[in-house]
Amino acid sequence: MAGKKQFDMDTALDAAMVQFWRAGYADTSVDDLSRATGLNRSSIYSSLGDKDKLFLRCLDRYTARYGDRYDAALAGAASDPLAAVRAFFDVTLDRIADPDLPDGCLIAQSAMAIPVLSTAVAAHAKEALGFQRARLRAALKAGRLADRDADAFAEHAAAVNQSLAVMSRAGASRAQLLAVVGVTVDALAHALRAPGRA
């Protein structure tokens, strides 16, 4: 059929997302994206946008895909906040353990690359980090932690989650990552047992 695109948009975006995830924004060229997607440069520009626009689309795709999984993990926070936070970390640990995916986290890598990102892309990366803190904060408040404690634990858990991604890229074992998660979950368990919590 005349004018019909000869590629699957979802497949191309996934391939581009994995390329950015594996190499980072700065070290991914349009030629790298061409090789990853199987599209020539002109097709990338006409169908997917320039490098910044494509990166934003990939970041949104990644944020939505894993955001949905984090939301599902935290859905039971009102009745069992500790189990919900464990499930939240399990989403990250399962992603890290998946041999078909690059190590690390596209959002964490993007945050570390903020000095070389355009203003718009840097703002988008910061916003993606903010989503994670916000979903944790809402879950912990639903779990009846006082506002101040929920805010503090949300910041801490989001930071730990990003550090797991960085540690995995540096070769940390699953046992090491689980130990890091364990410290956070134990601290949260202590806070949840504290008398007078909201």
Side-chain angles (χ1 to χ4, degrees):
M1 182 182 295
K4 182 179 178 182
K5 291 190 183 302
Q6 299 300 309
F7 67 94
D8 180 82
M9 181 68 77
D10 286 336
T11 300
L13 286 171
D14 277 344
M17 181 180 74
V18 168
Q19 174 61 40
F20 281 125
W21 187 352
R22 181 174 290 116
Y25 174 88
D27 291 329
T28 293
S29 67
V30 175
D31 286 337
D32 292 329
L33 293 166
S34 178
R35 282 188 290 275
T37 61
L39 302 173
N40 61 38
R41 292 172 65 97
S42 63
S43 292
I44 289 175
Y45 285 116
S46 64
S47 300
L48 303 175
D50 63 18
K51 182 179 169 181
D52 271 13
K53 193 172 294 183
L54 177 53
F55 183 71
L56 288 174
R57 292 178 74 175
C58 290
L59 195 56
D60 284 344
R61 191 173 187 82
Y62 182 95
T63 301
R65 180 171 297 168
Y66 291 102
D68 287 347
R69 294 176 193 181
Y70 287 129
D71 287 340
L74 293 170
S79 59
D80 193 343
L82 204 59
V85 171
R86 279 197 192 101
F88 171 87
F89 284 122
D90 283 344
V91 172
T92 298
L93 293 171
D94 289 348
R95 187 189 68 227
I96 287 169
D98 188 336
D100 294 328
L101 296 174
D103 288 331
C105 166
L106 183 59
I107 294 171
Q109 286 172 239
S110 302
M112 290 186 290
I114 280 173
V116 300
L117 299 178
S118 70
T119 302
V121 175
H124 218 67
K126 290 177 185 176
E127 183 180 48
L129 285 170
F131 290 152
Q132 192 163 93
R133 289 191 296 271
R135 69 171 44 95
L136 280 160
R137 186 179 298 115
L140 292 167
K141 286 181 180 178
R144 296 172 304 283
L145 268 186
D147 285 358
R148 186 176 63 183
D149 289 340
D151 289 345
F153 270 104
E155 289 286 351
H156 178 76
V160 169
N161 203 48
Q162 297 306 316
S163 74
L164 295 175
V166 174
M167 290 173 67
S168 76
R169 280 186 79 96
S173 69
R174 184 170 179 86
Q176 289 171 310
L177 300 178
L178 284 168
V180 171
V181 169
V183 172
T184 298
V185 171
D186 286 348
L188 178 58
H190 180 75
L192 290 167
R193 288 192 302 267
R197 72 185 178 93

